[in-house]
Amino acid sequence: MSQKTIQLTMAQAVARFLTAQKTVIDGQTVPIFGGVWAIFGHGNVAGVGEALHGIKDTLPTYRGQNEQSMAHAAIAYAKANFRQRFMACTSSIGPGALNMVTAAALAHVNRIPILLLPGDVFANRLPDPVLQQVEDFGDGTISANDCFKPVSRYFDRITRPEQIMPALRRTMQVLTDPAECGPVTLSLCQDVQAEAYDYPESFFAEKVWVPRRIMPDADEFATAAAALKLAKKPVIIAGGGVLYSQASESLAAFAEEHGIPVMETQAGKSALPHDHELNMGSVGVTGTSAANALAEEADVVLAVGTRLQDFTTGSWALFKNEDLKIIGLNVQVFDAMKHNALPMVADARVGLEALDAALMGWQVDSSWTSKALREKEVWLGAAEVATAASNVELPSDAQVIGAVQRGRENATLVCAAGGLPGELHKLWRADAPGSYHLEYGFSTMGYEIAAGLGVALAKPDADTIVMVGDGSYLMMNSEIVSAVMLGIKLTIVVLDNSGYGCINRLQMATGGANFNNLFRDTRHQTMPNVDFAAHAAAMGASAKKVASLAELDTALKESQSQTGVSVFVIDTDPLITTDEGGHWWDVAVPEVSDRPQVNSAREAYVKALKAQRAG
Ligand SMILES: Cc1ncc(C[n+]2csc(CCOP(=O)(O)OP(=O)(O)O)c2C)c(N)n1
Ligand SMILES: [Mg+2]
């Protein structure tokens, strides 16, 4: 067979192929790749670098400041696009590549599509060991990039130029598959990037990807519907899958029609607006008192698009009903069948609409729904108190959340680690789907600022606000430079409590001495007193330290229409969190210790373990 061919390097073939992949958003056909993040080194500058330059007007290349954080930006971009569009990241070999491994794991845990293109050693091995090559004494096929294997959904090493064709086809399958999706790593050997091959032109034909909506299996569906019909005290847990499936309207309709209260995971928060009367808010370890009271009693939990991680299930001690049945409505069978759940493998929207039709006319006993409404009222009162402003010298995180929320009413909130995620999960009032962007699957310190940049790239019209602790800021902040370079509008609020506040509290709760978390409890000659505003200003942000909640509120209002990156720094109390709501979390306490505080924490721990449901 004679195919029309075009001679390209392998890297040029990658670039050309990526530009040909499209998707449809709001009726418009758009490129499925929103751009490529790149930091070049000898492992990618000549091959991939030359190829990206050739397509820079159709597929923009952005220069990151750190390979991990540029990948964070790419991940946030995909999450903010509900996984319909994504980005690629290319690095050199060795340290540049390995800097992306943590980000790969983050995407893997959170099921977010991202294409990683690290350079690799020479396939021909002639210059070995090349600069930055890891040498394995016993296995000639190992390189540093093997570290990506456990944290990639699909990994391939390209050692011949023609291998890139099946590899790219498989790449697109994985990135666009709602059940499988996650990080794809194509490890591109340096010499092969530059090698030419006669590729068939048909390989580069435009392809439009339409998200697959998986229909439920008839038996699984019938079993799930029957279980729901028998339910006296059902609840719905909405996970990230509800957002990715854009099933918010179907979820609201389903809940309203049948009177079932809804609670949200960190990834699922904003599935329903905060003021929807059946939205009980957050569930689990960082749950509202309303959601957790209902979850404790629930006889049927319809778990939609959730991985049921320990924060959601209170380490499996939250659900106390002996006859509990879980229905796992999920695109991924791995999640659908967790803890012996009745699986209903399907897209969230399709599944909810099918269940709605099957349950037509059925409503849960009104006493259950009215209990939910009462519990919600109680919770709203507690939340109001926690977020109210006051004149305290050091405000709590909750009070800062209140000020941010008052200062910017329709913001898209970005956060990942520290004490803030728990407080935000309970207290942030999210209005529109996707307006709450938390990375709490991997809870990676240093995700926040880079993610803010990714969200702002994905949603240029949104008012993106990053809330970040001093610890996370110090760990990773340099994508501020990229945001300034790109003229991105981004607001960053730094909450400075002089250390790792949440881990210090966890340490105390497990009987530990205050040790090595807050700066004051560390080994030091000089107590650090970081000027975060000066630091951010040095990177080109407009930055200010505010002295009070009122000043923060005003500063946020005043900067609403300002372009560029604005950073506001506020000192906070490291010890205060919102007492109301919440649930036990399994953190193993030492069985023996010289510290009496540890021994009594252990006693409480052993008691708490009794509530845990195994298997
Ligand atoms: C990369 C990474 N390292 C360590 C941790 C464990 N960890 C979780 S929160 C935290 C402290 C965060 O400090 P900060 O950002 O100041 O927030 P705070 O706890 O003070 O609210 C640590 C060390 C983590 N989540 N991610
Ligand atoms: Mg801190």
Side-chain angles (χ1 to χ4, degrees):
M1 175 184 161
S2 81
Q3 280 178 298
K4 234 178 140 193
T5 60
I6 174 166
Q7 193 183 41
L8 297 170
T9 67
M10 180 269 269
Q12 290 161 359
V14 171
R16 184 178 277 238
F17 180 86
L18 296 188
T19 58
Q21 310 306 308
K22 303 282 166 70
T23 193
V24 180
I25 307 274
D26 299 333
Q28 300 269 98
T29 301
V30 295
I32 203 162
F33 285 92
V36 182
W37 287 94
I39 294 182
F40 296 140
H42 72 86
N44 64 340
V45 69
V48 170
E50 189 269 348
L52 289 177
H53 178 262
I55 56 155
K56 69 180 173 24
D57 296 329
T58 29
L59 184 65
T61 293
Y62 302 112
R63 209 207 76 171
Q65 315 306 322
N66 171 310
E67 291 86 355
Q68 182 184 339
S69 53
M70 76 182 187
H72 288 171
I75 290 163
Y77 178 90
K79 184 174 161 87
N81 270 297
F82 298 134
R83 311 196 299 198
Q84 311 290 294
R85 297 186 72 198
F86 28 79
M87 289 178 146
C89 293
T90 175
S91 73
S92 189
I93 80 164
L98 292 192
N99 272 354
M100 295 199 294
V101 173
T102 304
L106 189 166
H108 192 277
V109 168
N110 287 285
R111 321 277 168 84
I112 305 288
I114 180 174
L115 175 57
L116 301 171
L117 301 170
D120 206 338
V121 297
F122 280 71
N124 69 22
R125 304 191 190 169
L126 293 178
D128 281 11
V130 66
L131 174 72
Q132 301 171 319
Q133 177 168 348
V134 168
E135 293 181 279
D136 188 294
F137 298 161
D139 185 344
T141 68
I142 294 274
S143 86
N145 288 358
D146 285 84
C147 294
F148 283 101
K149 286 182 177 173
V151 288
S152 298
R153 286 268 170 247
Y154 166 51
F155 174 93
D156 212 340
R157 179 173 283 119
I158 307 302
T159 58
R160 294 180 57 92
E162 58 270 46
Q163 287 171 350
I164 200 67
M165 289 183 285
L168 284 170
R169 293 253 185 256
R170 174 74 185 128
T171 293
M172 290 309 297
Q173 265 174 34
V174 173
L175 294 176
T176 59
D177 186 315
E180 236 194 332
C181 86
V184 170
T185 304
L186 297 180
S187 190
L188 306 178
C189 290
Q190 181 183 145
D191 48 344
V192 188
Q193 287 175 35
E195 209 173 318
Y197 181 79
D198 292 323
Y199 291 96
E201 277 193 354
S202 58
F203 182 65
F204 306 105
E206 179 176 292
K207 182 150 178 138
V208 180
W209 295 87
V210 179
R212 180 180 303 119
R213 290 205 180 266
I214 300 165
M215 306 291 287
D217 167 79
D219 286 342
E220 286 186 357
F221 170 56
T223 308
L228 269 169
K229 263 189 191 156
L230 291 175
K232 300 272 177 277
K233 297 175 172 186
V235 300
I236 300 168
I237 296 183
V242 175
L243 291 167
Y244 301 139
S245 150
Q246 297 180 63
S248 289
E249 279 178 28
S250 312
L251 173 63
F254 181 79
E256 288 160 21
E257 183 68 30
H258 310 291
I260 307 177
V262 177
M263 42 204 68
E264 298 172 324
T265 70
Q266 283 278 18
K269 189 170 163 97
S270 78
L272 290 187
H274 68 95
D275 55 0
H276 188 287
E277 67 171 7
L278 288 168
N279 187 357
M280 300 295 114
S282 57
V283 63
V285 176
T286 52
T288 67
S289 56
N292 285 353
L294 298 167
E296 281 193 6
E297 278 186 54
D299 58 354
V300 173
V301 171
L302 176 58
V304 189
T306 164
R307 299 163 49 236
L308 292 173
Q309 63 131 307
D310 63 352
F311 263 71
T312 302
T313 65
S315 302
W316 288 106
L318 173 62
F319 312 116
K320 308 233 185 303
N321 192 316
E322 294 237 332
D323 304 318
L324 172 72
K325 277 198 172 67
I326 300 172
I327 300 168
L329 169 49
N330 207 295
V331 285
Q332 174 54 258
V333 69
F334 181 88
D335 297 311
M337 296 188 78
K338 276 179 181 160
H339 259 241
N340 203 28
L342 302 172
M344 181 172 155
V345 177
D347 169 75
R349 189 156 99 194
V350 169
L352 284 167
E353 287 171 6
L355 285 172
D356 193 22
L359 296 179
M360 201 190 290
W362 175 83
Q363 273 216 328
V364 71
D365 194 295
S366 62
S367 64
W368 181 241
T369 318
S370 25
K371 178 183 163 84
L373 302 184
R374 276 198 314 278
E375 292 283 0
K376 184 167 178 180
E377 278 309 306
V378 175
W379 169 254
L380 288 179
E384 193 63 46
V385 173
T387 51
S390 72
N391 292 328
V392 281
E393 198 186 331
L394 288 179
S396 64
D397 287 357
Q399 288 181 304
V400 177
I401 290 170
V404 172
Q405 193 110 56
R406 286 188 294 276
R408 296 282 182 82
E409 273 177 4
N410 300 309
T412 292
L413 193 279
V414 181
C415 190
L420 276 166
E423 296 293 274
L424 288 163
H425 194 207
K426 284 183 183 177
L427 301 168
W428 186 260
R429 298 194 303 259
D431 43 15
S435 63
Y436 180 83
H437 183 120
L438 249 286
E439 191 284 282
Y440 211 66
F442 212 44
S443 189
T444 309
M445 288 172 73
Y447 176 77
E448 301 89 344
I449 290 172
L453 167 56
V455 171
L457 278 172
K459 301 175 25 170
D461 299 330
D463 183 17
T464 305
I465 300 196
V466 174
M467 289 184 75
V468 61
D470 56 309
S472 265
Y473 181 97
L474 286 178
M475 204 172 273
M476 206 163 270
N477 52 62
S478 57
E479 297 305 339
I480 288 179
V481 174
S482 315
V484 170
M485 269 162 70
L486 293 168
I488 298 286
K489 177 179 155 65
L490 184 63
T491 303
I492 300 168
V493 180
V494 182
L495 288 83
D496 182 5
N497 57 13
S498 290
Y500 301 156
C502 70
I503 308 297
N504 176 59
R505 294 191 301 270
L506 184 58
Q507 188 168 48
M508 293 190 292
T510 51
N514 299 72
F515 171 57
N516 205 48
N517 283 310
L518 299 182
F519 279 131
R520 65 183 181 223
D521 306 318
T522 58
R523 182 179 292 260
H524 60 266
Q525 288 289 331
T526 307
M527 177 71 177
N529 182 17
V530 181
D531 186 343
F532 289 96
H535 183 267
M539 287 186 281
S542 117
K544 182 177 173 183
K545 170 128 188 201
V546 297
S548 66
L549 289 164
E551 235 184 76
L552 177 63
D553 194 330
T554 312
L556 285 167
K557 282 190 180 115
E558 281 174 3
S559 62
Q560 173 106 45
S561 55
Q562 201 171 308
T563 53
V565 180
S566 310
V567 177
F568 301 109
V569 183
I570 185 163
D571 287 343
T572 52
D573 192 316
L575 296 176
I576 309 175
T577 53
T578 304
D579 285 337
E580 289 77 10
H583 187 274
W584 174 76
W585 182 36
D586 190 348
V587 175
V589 180
E591 201 164 352
V592 290
S593 170
D594 294 337
R595 284 178 57 79
Q597 296 94 325
V598 173
N599 297 331
S600 64
R602 173 74 192 185
E603 238 176 75
Y605 175 65
V606 170
K607 256 191 221 141
L609 280 176
K610 295 204 168 74
Q612 206 167 34
R613 305 171 83 92

